[in-house]
Amino acid sequence: MTDSDRIPPMPGWVTVARHETSEDVAFLSGAALAHLDLVIRGSALPQDLLRDRLALRAAEACMALSGRPERAAALRDALHLLRPGDLPGPAGEVCLAWRRAAERPLSDETMQRALPGIGAEQVTLWRRAAGVAGPVPRAAAVLEAVLAEAPRAETAGLILAEATLARALGWDHVVPLLAVSLRRADLRLRGAELRRSCHRAVIDAATEATGLAAELARRAERLRAVAPKLRAKGAEAAVGVFLSRDAVAPGALPLPDRAARRLCDRLVALGAVRELTGRETFRLYGV
């Protein structure tokens, strides 16, 4: 990665102020989104990986909002240790919803896949609540509409709000932001107060996403650098999996089980991926 490819941090003037007027906070959230837009479109960033990592953060936040806080490690297990035919449980369902919302290009089909319990007509009605305002007010209006009708549907409301924000920004995929930073108290607000909280959440989440993007770009550079040293058949495809997923079980790699485990150990030894669980068995690996 050349110097010109490196991801610049969020400008300090966007993040330092905390007692702004409504106009100020709206301007700052726009500046934060503009900076993040440039980051997301950059060639150095493994975009699928960033979205999957942010989806995990969003799932973690939604579990806390529901009163059942689960840390990232437990959520990874809920998602990756499922066997065929197993039901995912509440934590797994939330993780799957966010992953499905973020992994495919933004479309009505993607939203239906992420939120199978909600009908297309209902989604259309909520979408109409967005109106023609700016990106963040549109997202806040959809979130408000969902929670007014279904106060406990935090995950659905936030996913549809993120989709509204992404559409308004011209992004091809959902990039979880609001869910990462909105608090339980924020979701009880309405009107201008909710819009203000969403603007603040965007500033914080876009700043966090920018820092995460820079970290993932560095780690991806390291993984790509060691890839030529890997001799296992299917290693190139395996590298692609690591560059698209927050966490990977050896069994998910396109190699025989023993070869996949050896490859993961080799990548850990080379400093290209990390073992995420600290366990001796049922291990997960990630960039």
Side-chain angles (χ1 to χ4, degrees):
M1 185 165 56
T2 65
D3 289 341
S4 61
D5 292 326
R6 296 193 183 279
I7 294 174
M10 185 69 67
W13 58 267
V14 174
T15 60
V16 291
R18 278 294 175 267
H19 299 285
E20 314 89 352
T21 65
S22 295
E23 292 79 7
D24 287 338
V25 77
F27 170 77
L28 291 171
S29 75
L33 286 171
H35 183 84
L36 182 60
D37 182 75
L38 293 175
V39 169
I40 288 174
R41 298 179 191 277
S43 61
L45 177 66
Q47 297 184 21
D48 292 347
L49 177 57
L50 174 66
R51 291 195 307 273
D52 204 40
R53 189 66 56 84
L54 289 174
L56 179 70
R57 288 278 293 108
E60 190 176 12
C62 282
M63 291 304 297
L65 290 172
S66 71
R68 300 182 57 170
E70 298 274 2
R71 303 304 299 171
L75 293 175
R76 286 184 176 119
D77 283 352
L79 191 62
H80 292 279
L81 300 185
L82 284 175
R83 296 179 179 179
D86 285 351
L87 295 176
E93 287 179 354
V94 171
C95 280
L96 282 172
W98 279 104
R99 167 176 279 189
R100 289 168 176 168
E103 69 182 352
R104 294 187 178 184
L106 184 57
S107 68
D108 290 346
E109 291 75 17
T110 297
M111 290 299 100
Q112 285 298 120
R113 184 169 176 266
L115 302 169
I118 297 177
E121 292 183 0
Q122 186 62 65
V123 172
T124 299
L125 287 174
W126 285 331
R127 187 183 297 157
R128 288 175 183 167
V132 293
V136 176
R138 289 189 202 181
V142 169
L143 178 59
E144 182 173 348
V146 174
L147 295 180
E149 185 172 332
R152 301 184 67 179
E154 295 97 344
T155 296
L158 287 165
I159 286 176
L160 291 170
E162 304 281 13
T164 301
L165 181 63
R167 274 199 174 97
L169 293 168
W171 291 348
D172 294 332
H173 293 75
V174 166
V175 179
L177 295 173
L178 292 166
V180 173
S181 291
L182 283 173
R183 300 165 299 176
R184 184 192 298 271
D186 294 327
L187 299 186
R188 294 195 289 267
L189 301 175
R190 297 293 181 263
E193 290 184 335
L194 178 60
R195 289 194 295 274
R196 184 181 177 93
S197 289
C198 286
H199 280 302
R200 288 188 178 279
V202 162
I203 296 169
D204 292 340
T207 301
E208 179 181 337
T210 298
L212 177 60
E215 177 187 353
L216 293 178
R218 290 192 296 270
R219 292 183 177 276
E221 180 185 18
R222 173 62 180 167
L223 178 55
R224 295 187 186 106
V226 305
K229 301 178 182 179
L230 306 174
R231 298 180 180 179
K233 186 177 181 180
E236 183 177 353
V239 168
V241 175
F242 280 112
L243 290 176
S244 65
R245 291 296 185 197
D246 159 70
V248 179
L253 296 175
L255 290 87
D257 184 66
R258 185 172 297 179
R261 295 178 187 279
R262 284 200 301 265
L263 177 65
C264 290
D265 290 341
R266 173 71 169 150
L267 288 171
V268 170
L270 291 170
V273 303
R274 298 170 295 157
E275 201 287 310
L276 301 173
T277 69
R279 297 189 295 249
E280 292 298 323
T281 59
F282 302 110
R283 290 181 163 186
L284 298 173
Y285 300 84
V287 172

